[in-house]
Amino acid sequence: MRSTDQEKRMMIFCLLLAAFSSPVFAGEWTANVVKELDVLVQSCAVVPCTFTHPKEYHPDSAINAIWHLKSDGKKRIYSDAQRDVLENFKGRTKLLGHLSDGNCTLEMIEIKDHDNGPFCFRMELPTGSIDKFSFVNDCVMFKMLPNPPDPILTHSTAIQGRPFTITCSVTHTCPSHVPELTWNRATTDDVVTVVHKKNRFGYWEMESILAFTPEEKDDHSEIICTAAFFGGRNLKPCRISM
Ligand SMILES: *[C@@H]1O[C@H](CO)[C@@H](O)[C@H](O)[C@H]1NC(C)=O
């Protein structure tokens, strides 16, 4: 086990793939939407979004929630009224947030490399033209990632007979269908801990920590972490040699 201080913090790039309060009635129209999101082509993305609207308009059951292209309010990528949705977005968008909580969070799946946006949220109350509002100053742009982001491996020094941990982590923007991290080892003494955490607005990190006590037979063995993203992409694992 030549392990090695220099290797202590080693980053390995790989790819993967595979498979893969009531803030609502605040008296004015405001929205808080992530401005730019890195999204993985063929996979999915979740756009965090919250909004407030004038107090007098609160028949929540009657709100029509819409996401549309900034360039044209009629080009709808999501609407409660399915017939209004652009053909190529039908079945690919879903509102995850509850409007009554002022939550307009949007999910898009099967992302195409030209789904860049910008996309803006709009509310329509069926009572008259004054009760409609497009948040065109708070839109989201997608930056396309043709390939999955690189998982990062970090590990402690491997010494025979001493506990060893190695962490594999990958950032993503689809908390509704999280990437899965797997290891090429499966001995009963291995302990795997999975941690999912929020990073900056719109970004998440999935982490898998593998812990075991290296034995002589582990000398020069390879440890491989594989990240599988929703949507089924080709896989290229990351590996380190002990
Ligand atoms: C909005 O809804 C999404 C999806 O249910 C949820 O994950 C998120 O935490 C909500 N945001 C807020 C601010 O409550």
Side-chain angles (χ1 to χ4, degrees), residues 49-50 96-98 103 105 198:
C49 170
T50 56
L96 296 184
H98 291 296
N103 190 328
T105 297
K198 232 177 201 165

Side-chain angles (χ1 to χ4, degrees), residues 25-41:
F25 310 123
E28 56 181 324
W29 301 98
T30 67
N32 186 22
V33 183
V34 66
K35 295 272 181 294
E36 203 181 70
L37 212 53
D38 290 342
V39 307
L40 178 57
V41 175

Side-chain angles (χ1 to χ4, degrees), residues 69 74-77 82 84-90:
L69 283 170
K74 294 257 178 318
K75 293 196 169 148
R76 302 183 166 182
I77 63 156
Q82 267 292 312
D84 295 341
V85 177
L86 289 174
E87 210 49 51
N88 56 338
F89 284 94
K90 278 202 169 105

Side-chain angles (χ1 to χ4, degrees), residues 2-232:
R2 303 222 176 282
S3 45
T4 124
D5 292 35
Q6 298 98 300
E7 273 177 351
K8 242 181 200 163
R9 272 190 69 94
M10 187 175 172
M11 294 172 63
I12 298 202
F13 300 107
C14 359
L15 292 308
L16 337 296
L17 123 84
F20 10 73
S21 7
S22 189
V24 184
F25 310 123
E28 56 181 324
W29 301 98
T30 67
N32 186 22
V33 183
V34 66
K35 295 272 181 294
E36 203 181 70
L37 212 53
D38 290 342
V39 307
L40 178 57
V41 175
Q42 291 173 38
S43 190
C44 57
V46 171
V47 180
C49 170
T50 56
F51 69 97
T52 64
H53 61 80
K55 213 183 196 88
E56 49 276 42
Y57 313 123
H58 57 84
D60 296 312
S61 58
I63 292 176
N64 187 20
I66 289 157
W67 280 84
H68 63 84
L69 283 170
K70 185 173 188 174
S71 56
D72 184 348
K74 294 257 178 318
K75 293 196 169 148
R76 302 183 166 182
I77 63 156
Y78 173 83
S79 171
D80 293 342
Q82 267 292 312
R83 64 177 182 283
D84 295 341
V85 177
L86 289 174
E87 210 49 51
N88 56 338
F89 284 94
K90 278 202 169 105
R92 293 204 290 129
T93 51
K94 187 158 92 179
L95 212 59
L96 296 184
H98 291 296
L99 292 174
S100 52
D101 298 336
N103 190 328
C104 39
T105 297
L106 179 80
E107 175 192 70
M108 189 184 295
I109 59 169
E110 294 165 31
I111 307 240
K112 315 270 188 261
D113 62 5
H114 52 267
D115 289 341
N116 305 73
F119 306 116
C120 317
F121 179 61
R122 174 180 175 82
M123 286 178 55
E124 290 186 349
L125 306 177
T127 51
S129 58
I130 191 145
D131 300 338
K132 301 178 180 182
F133 195 86
S134 278
F135 297 92
V136 292
N137 294 319
D138 303 281
C139 307
V140 61
M141 269 301 280
F142 285 171
K143 202 174 125 212
M144 295 300 160
L145 301 181
N147 295 305
D150 302 328
I152 294 170
L153 289 183
T154 53
H155 62 93
S156 61
T157 303
I159 298 170
Q160 248 184 62
R162 301 253 191 97
F164 171 75
T165 59
I166 177 165
T167 300
C168 179
S169 70
V170 69
T171 57
H172 69 94
T173 54
C174 190
S176 57
H177 301 277
V178 298
E180 280 180 34
L181 300 175
T182 52
W183 298 95
N184 66 326
R185 290 177 54 104
T187 78
T188 51
D189 294 336
D190 290 0
V191 177
V192 175
T193 309
V194 175
V195 181
H196 191 227
K197 30 185 193 197
K198 232 177 201 165
N199 276 359
R200 68 202 152 98
F201 195 37
Y203 289 80
W204 297 77
E205 186 174 344
M206 181 57 93
E207 197 173 86
S208 179
I209 304 156
L210 170 69
F212 64 97
T213 301
E215 295 170 19
E216 188 162 6
K217 66 175 168 48
D218 294 317
D219 201 6
H220 300 302
S221 71
E222 262 190 339
I223 300 182
I224 302 175
C225 171
T226 301
F229 287 82
F230 181 75

